Amino acid sequence: MSNKFSLCIQGNAANESEWSGTAYYCGKALENYGDVQYFDIKPNASKLVKALWRLKQTLQGKSIFGYQYSKKELEQLNNQISDQYTSGTLISFNQLLPYSGHFEKLVYYIDCTLEELFNSPTYSIKLSEARKKELIEIEKKNYQKADAVMIMGSWLRDSLETSYGIEPKKIHHVLPGANMAQNSVLPKPLSKTLTIGFVAKDYKRKGLLYLVELAKQLQVLSIDVKLVLVGECPEEISQLPFVNYLGYIHKKKQPEKWIEFLQQCHFGALFSSDEALGISVLEFLAAGIPVMGYYHQGLKDTLIEGASVRAKLETPALVMALSIATVWNDEDNYDSMRKETTKASDYCTWNRASYTIYNTLKSEVYNQKERANVKED
């Protein structure tokens, strides 16, 4: 088996801006172990094709939403994968692709199953129940024929075993790394104002409203607090006196601005109601910054013990504020958490994740038990 990896997303795997850069950074780290091919799987851009599909759906009394999940679209995407694949191990980050084709080795590396995605009220996927069942059946067959299914969050194992009928020995948990070009531990901020960083494209699902209430409760406890927000933020929150809204930051094009953001933070925060993983949490941890958030779903893997302050979904903001105050009001407590975060920082990188991926493939997929050796230049 050649040390060649082909990475596939619904989009361009070589583009750092697509799919949060996960496939891109995974590939860059895997280049230490072999050759990497980044697939560019383009969706159908024809407005006419989409319009005709919606017309057909309307005439048949079906939903006009979800063209990206249609048989026609999945077929043309799948064909692109077959056209671009040459040899080696295909690692797909998409649950539905490829659903057919011939590959030396086929591995799915997923952050969520479609069952979990479709059952979540937060995402509100607009598809008929019949189509959802069809797609889950395609997904199930994909995993059954694959050489391995790697999961980013350990919480998915139960769904794969019980609902999808996947053999436990075929499922491998590999926590991904922080999607950043450089992973270096930053010094503790000098500011005495408790500064909490937050990154989100979907501020409601990611828990910004809870974080704002948490900040207010911290103020009630006489703690000077500032929220530094990156990504999506409603105007009424951006104008709050304790909020510093930085807008969107492109980590590759604006690396200095990204580092400046991280350097301010005493904590990173993510209070998602639904969260497959929480890449931003890994980014804070890789920089040596402790984190706080809801301890459920994928966040159970990223809110690392000793480096985080955890809450349950039902935890009131005041109760969480008291937990944070216990750490923040005692400098020794905070410094201790900072030290534990520094210890965990290397674990939150793609260097560790790629090593795990390669050795998992070597021992479980290629049936070669020797440990991986980094490719020589």
Side-chain angles (χ1 to χ4, degrees):
M1 175 61 62
S2 62
N3 291 347
K4 180 177 180 180
F5 312 97
S6 298
L7 304 188
C8 170
I9 62 172
Q10 191 168 338
N12 186 355
N15 188 338
E16 183 190 10
S17 299
E18 295 196 35
W19 213 60
S20 300
T22 298
Y24 170 84
Y25 284 107
C26 177
K28 289 302 176 184
L30 279 174
E31 287 176 4
N32 289 317
Y33 302 98
D35 297 323
V36 177
Q37 179 184 7
Y38 301 85
F39 285 7
D40 185 6
I41 309 301
K42 295 180 174 64
N44 195 323
S46 171
K47 293 182 179 179
L48 177 60
V49 169
K50 294 178 182 178
L52 290 174
W53 178 82
R54 292 190 183 100
L55 176 60
K56 181 180 178 181
Q57 291 290 103
T58 301
L59 293 175
Q60 293 179 348
K62 299 179 180 179
S63 171
I64 62 171
F65 298 102
Y67 175 79
Q68 68 270 29
Y69 292 110
S70 67
K71 294 179 181 178
K72 186 178 185 67
E73 177 67 352
L74 290 177
E75 181 180 7
Q76 75 91 14
L77 292 171
N78 193 78
N79 290 340
Q80 290 182 60
I81 296 173
S82 295
D83 291 341
Q84 294 182 37
Y85 176 80
T86 54
S87 63
T89 300
L90 175 60
I91 301 177
S92 175
F93 295 82
N94 188 288
Q95 302 95 332
L96 296 169
L97 299 170
Y99 60 81
S100 66
H102 298 284
F103 311 99
E104 290 181 27
K105 294 294 180 182
L106 175 59
V107 176
Y108 292 90
Y109 189 18
I110 61 170
D111 65 340
C112 192
T113 62
L114 291 185
E115 180 185 63
E116 296 288 350
L117 185 67
F118 291 159
N119 288 338
S120 168
T122 306
Y123 291 99
S124 300
I125 305 297
K126 295 181 179 179
L127 292 171
S128 68
E129 291 304 313
R131 185 54 181 161
K132 288 179 181 179
K133 289 180 180 178
E134 290 174 354
L135 293 170
I136 290 174
E137 190 60 30
I138 294 172
E139 180 190 23
K140 182 185 297 185
K141 291 179 180 178
N142 286 349
Y143 300 156
Q144 289 173 343
K145 71 186 178 187
D147 294 285
V149 181
M150 296 189 299
I151 51 176
M152 298 185 185
S154 58
W155 69 290
L156 295 175
R157 180 177 289 277
D158 181 63
S159 175
L160 286 172
E161 291 182 11
T162 59
S163 298
Y164 288 77
I166 307 304
E167 294 179 273
K169 66 180 181 180
K170 186 184 279 192
I171 305 168
H172 307 280
H173 175 225
V174 181
L175 183 74
N179 292 336
M180 299 191 294
Q182 295 181 337
N183 297 293
S184 57
V185 174
L186 300 173
K188 183 175 74 171
L190 297 175
S191 173
K192 297 301 181 182
T193 298
L194 172 57
T195 304
I196 303 173
F198 178 83
V199 181
K201 292 181 179 179
D202 182 352
Y203 76 89
K204 289 184 179 179
R205 181 174 64 84
K206 298 288 186 177
L208 179 55
L209 300 181
Y210 182 89
L211 181 59
V212 168
E213 179 59 28
L214 175 59
K216 293 177 180 177
Q217 295 299 331
L218 287 166
Q219 289 177 327
V220 170
L221 298 176
S222 300
I223 294 177
D224 190 18
V225 62
K226 178 173 70 172
L227 304 183
V228 186
L229 311 180
V230 172
E232 182 187 30
C233 177
E235 185 177 358
E236 61 270 20
I237 290 180
S238 68
Q239 294 179 349
L240 292 172
F242 55 85
V243 167
N244 179 15
Y245 176 48
L246 302 179
Y248 283 89
I249 299 177
H250 193 292
K251 286 176 283 188
K252 188 173 184 179
K253 296 179 180 178
Q254 302 171 292
E256 296 86 1
K257 190 174 182 181
W258 176 251
I259 295 299
E260 287 175 5
F261 158 66
L262 292 176
Q263 286 175 330
Q264 300 179 58
C265 301
H266 294 100
F267 284 92
L270 191 60
F271 292 95
S272 299
S273 54
D274 281 295
E275 189 58 63
L277 185 69
I279 286 292
S280 68
V281 173
L282 292 174
E283 292 169 345
F284 285 116
L285 291 172
I289 302 168
V291 290
M292 61 179 73
Y294 285 142
Y295 190 66
H296 81 132
Q297 293 182 339
L299 288 171
K300 286 188 175 182
D301 293 310
T302 55
L303 291 175
I304 295 174
E305 186 175 2
S308 64
V309 183
R310 303 165 174 176
K312 297 179 180 179
L313 288 174
E314 63 272 15
T315 300
L318 176 58
V319 174
M320 185 59 174
L322 290 168
S323 297
I324 296 167
T326 300
V327 177
W328 181 250
N329 287 336
D330 186 325
E331 190 169 1
D332 288 340
N333 282 349
Y334 178 74
D335 287 345
S336 177
M337 179 170 283
R338 194 98 188 180
K339 288 178 182 177
E340 289 300 314
T341 307
T342 298
K343 291 178 184 178
S345 62
D346 285 342
Y347 181 73
C348 300
T349 66
W350 274 110
N351 285 337
R352 185 272 316 155
S354 64
Y355 178 85
T356 305
I357 291 171
Y358 188 65
N359 278 286
T360 298
L361 295 177
K362 291 280 282 186
S363 63
E364 304 297 335
V365 177
Y366 306 153
N367 295 319
Q368 298 176 21
K369 298 296 182 182
E370 68 269 23
R371 292 170 65 85
N373 291 311
V374 176
K375 184 182 68 173
E376 299 290 341
D377 291 330

